Amino acid sequence: MPFVTGGQAVVDTLIAHGVDTVFGIPGTHSLPLYAALARCPIRHVTPRSEQGGGYAADGYARSSGRPGVCIVTSGPGLTNIATPVGQAYSDSIPLLVISPGMPAEIEGGDRGYLHEMKSQVGMMNGIASWSHRTRTHQDAVNAIDRAFREFATSRPRPVHIEIPLDMLAEPGWVDTHKPYPGRVPAPLPDRLQAVADVLRHAESPALVFGGGARRAARQARKLAERLGAGVVTTVNGKGVLSEDHPLSLGASIRLQAAQAYLESADVLVAVGTELGDSDLWGACLRPRGTVVRLDIDYSQLQKNVPAQLTLLGNAAGTLTALLEHLPGEDSSHGSRKALLHAVRGEIQCEAKADGAEWIELLSVLEHSLSKDAIVTGDSAMVCYYGFAHFYPQQHPSSFLYPTGFATLGFSLPAAIGAKIAEPTRQVVALSGDGGLLFTVGEIATAVEQRLGIPIIIVNNQGYGEIRRQMVQAGMPRIGVDLANPDFADLARAFGSHGVSTELDGLEDALGNALDRDLPTIIELKGWTR
């Protein structure tokens, strides 16, 4: 039972859970944590704002499947990371935020102490899965153990752990017990059999895969092939079934044609998705057939679209068990090809009505990037009207995109986190000019870490989507037309590379950028659509 500072206990516990990277900015109150970090093998990445660090940790988690970890200082350090925590909560991303808190004698005292807040835990409880102020060294260790256990065994959502300043610096006793790994919930055999019986007799089954199925791509493909069922995904589920597979209907769930297909199925199976407003873009899915929901979160099984049959468990394990109850590939698969071909055509036609202007750009990307490239996106028109529909992906967790919370500023720092997690894969950031300026300072982080990330900016001189909505509403344009810097010059000022080009120069610019070990801003000018 070692006698160590609270800071050392925290770092030792992170190491015990396999953490190899943390994102954070040191502050006066977090020095005891950094004293311990300086003596350990964990890689420390310094973002230029805690917001950028939170998004980077999110990108690290999405691409690797391992929790992202951030260490921030108290007060403004913690408030700065609030938006990334909200995004991670919305998209079910395992993110651990560790911060100092006021000393025990100061807590709640409103005494004007440096970085003092009314309640850090109160604030974070409003946006994270949970927030906990530790009382002892062992409590800190147990809280981290709990966070990692829940990341592995339940719906992964962000967690905040606050450790009082005095406890961080002072030594205390810590039990070196091996953390209890916990258990993943699994469906009962009779429920699996009931679902299998319904699927066995289905004449027109359909499947929806969400972000909760990203680690179950192999099982998802087997289920689709065994049923001969068309597959629609959410944007976070994009690539769970390779989008060049004949059963794939793409990440098209927001489109009416895809929704009509799902509603017409006699059995609809939804895996790892809440089927929420941010997925359906305001529509209400009303299936005519039997609905089967599979989710690791019990509260999701009847949310938004009620189900007649439910399976509680993680996607990979539950689909594996379900497949054992089903026969071989559906012999009627061939007879559904014509239907799926027709639906696919309707989906593409509808997608082009919103996003035809992006097709040429995305064709260049598809031609230039490897099949396993990771692309990060902002909440930008080029992403939700364009990339989601017109860039086919073969692998899940390859399009990292902020859906439900729909934050801006995500793309660049998320690409940094993804490239750190997956250094041998191509990683590209795709953004509008408005979104990039939220976190443009993270170019310095990418330079410091020597990350060869192409940063493609579609420059329409403003917040294009909101501008469009203002015009459609017949109201004056206000606050949406931006005075931007010369992005290529800005990149060079950071010590990276920069180029401004029309669309016809994108392929060469992207090829050059991918060969570098520093980031490159590629500004697409003249994008006045």
Side-chain angles (χ1 to χ4, degrees), residues 180-473:
Y180 172 62
R183 294 181 180 179
V184 179
L188 298 173
D190 61 335
R191 286 183 175 267
L192 287 166
Q193 188 61 57
V195 172
D197 289 343
V198 168
L199 291 175
R200 194 176 294 113
H201 296 97
E203 295 183 358
S204 56
L207 300 172
V208 177
F209 293 117
R214 282 178 295 203
R215 303 296 161 184
R218 180 174 58 85
Q219 294 88 346
R221 177 182 56 79
K222 286 185 176 182
L223 180 64
E225 291 174 348
R226 198 157 296 183
L227 298 176
V231 173
V232 174
T233 75
T234 67
V235 175
N236 273 341
K238 184 174 172 66
V240 167
L241 180 68
S242 175
E243 292 181 318
D244 61 6
H245 194 286
L247 293 174
S248 172
L249 296 173
S252 57
I253 196 169
R254 76 171 181 89
L255 300 174
Q256 292 180 5
Q259 293 168 11
Y261 170 73
L262 297 176
E263 290 177 337
S264 70
D266 64 347
V267 181
L268 173 62
V269 182
V271 181
T273 173
E274 62 191 358
L275 298 173
D277 175 82
S278 59
D279 297 316
L280 300 171
W281 282 36
C284 295
L285 205 61
R286 294 185 174 89
R288 70 171 179 85
T290 301
V291 176
V292 180
R293 300 285 295 269
L294 189 164
D295 208 286
I296 198 167
D297 183 351
Y298 180 81
S299 69
Q300 295 296 100
L301 293 175
Q302 296 291 346
K303 191 174 290 183
N304 295 319
V305 179
Q308 287 74 48
L309 294 169
T310 61
L311 296 174
L312 179 64
N314 74 345
T318 304
L319 289 179
T320 297
L322 179 60
L323 286 164
E324 294 174 357
H325 289 75
L326 291 171
E329 186 172 334
D330 191 329
S331 60
S332 65
H333 182 180
S335 66
R336 298 187 189 129
K337 285 184 178 179
L339 171 62
L340 292 177
H341 179 75
V343 173
R344 193 174 294 110
E346 293 171 2
I347 286 171
Q348 285 296 299
C349 183
E350 189 178 345
K352 286 178 181 177
D354 291 327
E357 63 189 292
W358 311 109
I359 292 177
E360 187 178 356
L361 185 163
L362 295 167
S363 177
V364 174
L365 291 187
E366 182 184 1
H367 176 75
S368 303
L369 300 179
S370 60
K371 295 294 185 182
D372 69 342
I374 296 171
V375 177
T376 64
D378 251 312
S379 187
M381 299 165 80
V382 65
C383 294
Y384 49 76
Y385 288 138
F387 193 95
H389 301 295
F390 301 114
Y391 187 102
Q393 287 189 303
Q394 283 71 47
H395 307 281
S397 301
S398 295
F399 181 41
L400 313 186
Y401 175 76
T403 53
F405 216 46
T407 183
L408 287 172
F410 178 86
S411 179
L412 170 56
I416 290 171
K419 188 65 175 178
I420 288 172
E422 301 286 345
T424 63
R425 293 172 67 179
Q426 294 176 347
V427 177
V428 176
L430 182 61
S431 179
D433 52 297
L436 185 82
L437 286 173
F438 276 62
T439 51
V440 70
E442 299 309 330
I443 297 173
T445 308
V447 170
E448 186 173 79
Q449 298 293 320
R450 302 198 69 82
L451 303 176
I453 299 170
I455 306 158
I456 301 173
I457 306 172
V458 178
N459 189 350
N460 61 9
Q461 294 292 317
Y463 301 121
E465 174 67 11
I466 308 306
R467 182 166 56 203
R468 181 184 67 83
Q469 291 178 19
M470 286 180 174
V471 171
Q472 288 179 343

Side-chain angles (χ1 to χ4, degrees), residues 369 419 426-428 451-456 497-499 506-522:
L369 300 179
K419 188 65 175 178
Q426 294 176 347
V427 177
V428 176
L451 303 176
I453 299 170
I455 306 158
I456 301 173
H497 302 275
V499 59
L506 174 59
E507 185 172 358
D508 287 343
L510 187 56
N512 292 333
L514 289 168
D515 288 336
R516 298 182 177 123
D517 65 351
L518 288 172
T520 302
I521 279 187
I522 304 172

